[in-house]
Amino acid sequence: MAQAGQSKGFAPKEAPKLNPPKNTPISLSHLAKCDGNSPSYPIYIAIMGTVFDVSGNTAYAPEGAYHIFAGKDASRALALSSLKPEDCRHDWEDLAAKEKQVLNDWFTFFSKRYNIVGQVHHAATIISSS
């Protein structure tokens, strides 16, 4: 998995027109349905509790290289640069500073490319404990 890169690498070649971020509460059960396996649902990925709509990127679709992240809070996997299913989980507060920086880099990367559509219910607990 490629790393997010340094700050100059965060900006996409062409800046997408993004909607204002939403704070809509999203349950873990709803997030799980947004994994690309049903055309009735968009494809969502959460990072540190913030939910991004990645529907337009085929890399997160069922046949895509990063589908493992779809419908999950993939914070730990992103921080560890891991594609292992067991790493696709929301807990990240116990990671080393270097891994937390990688996670923050991924958050910045996603926030410059994808609409923020809400917050996962468990996010308040995680953010307040860090």
Side-chain angles (χ1 to χ4, degrees), residues 4-5 14 17 25 27 42 44 51 56 60 65-66 71 81-82 92-93 98-100 106 114 120 123:
E14 288 187 34
K17 182 169 176 22
S27 68
Y44 288 167
V51 182
Y60 303 104
Y66 301 123
S81 298
S82 171
W92 53 269
E93 61 276 359
K98 180 180 177 185
E99 293 161 335
K100 287 179 181 178
W106 277 116
Y114 305 109
V120 179

Side-chain angles (χ1 to χ4, degrees), residues 3-11 101 105 108-109:
Q3 297 243 342
Q6 300 304 316
S7 60
K8 63 183 175 185
F10 292 142
Q101 184 57 53
D105 289 350
T108 300
F109 181 89

Side-chain angles (χ1 to χ4, degrees), residues 6 30 35 37 39 44 48 51 59 71 74 81 89 106 117 121 126:
Q6 300 304 316
H30 181 75
D35 65 356
N37 290 314
Y44 288 167
M48 296 186 292
V51 182
S81 298
R89 56 187 213 250
W106 277 116
V117 295
H121 283 283
I126 295 170

Side-chain angles (χ1 to χ4, degrees), residues 26-38:
I26 296 175
S27 68
L28 288 172
S29 61
H30 181 75
L31 178 64
K33 293 176 185 175
C34 299
D35 65 356
N37 290 314
S38 171

Side-chain angles (χ1 to χ4, degrees), residues 9-13 16 18 52-53 108-115:
F10 292 142
K13 291 178 185 174
L18 298 174
F52 296 90
D53 185 341
T108 300
F109 181 89
F110 273 70
S111 68
K112 293 187 178 293
R113 287 164 174 76
Y114 305 109
N115 285 310

Side-chain angles (χ1 to χ4, degrees), residues 1-2 34-37 43-45 53-72 78 83 106 109-110 113-114:
M1 182 170 76
C34 299
D35 65 356
N37 290 314
I43 302 175
Y44 288 167
I45 293 175
D53 185 341
V54 297
S55 299
N57 189 332
T58 58
Y60 303 104
E63 300 301 319
Y66 301 123
H67 179 253
I68 190 76
F69 302 141
K72 300 175 184 78
L78 290 167
L83 292 173
W106 277 116
F109 181 89
F110 273 70
R113 287 164 174 76
Y114 305 109

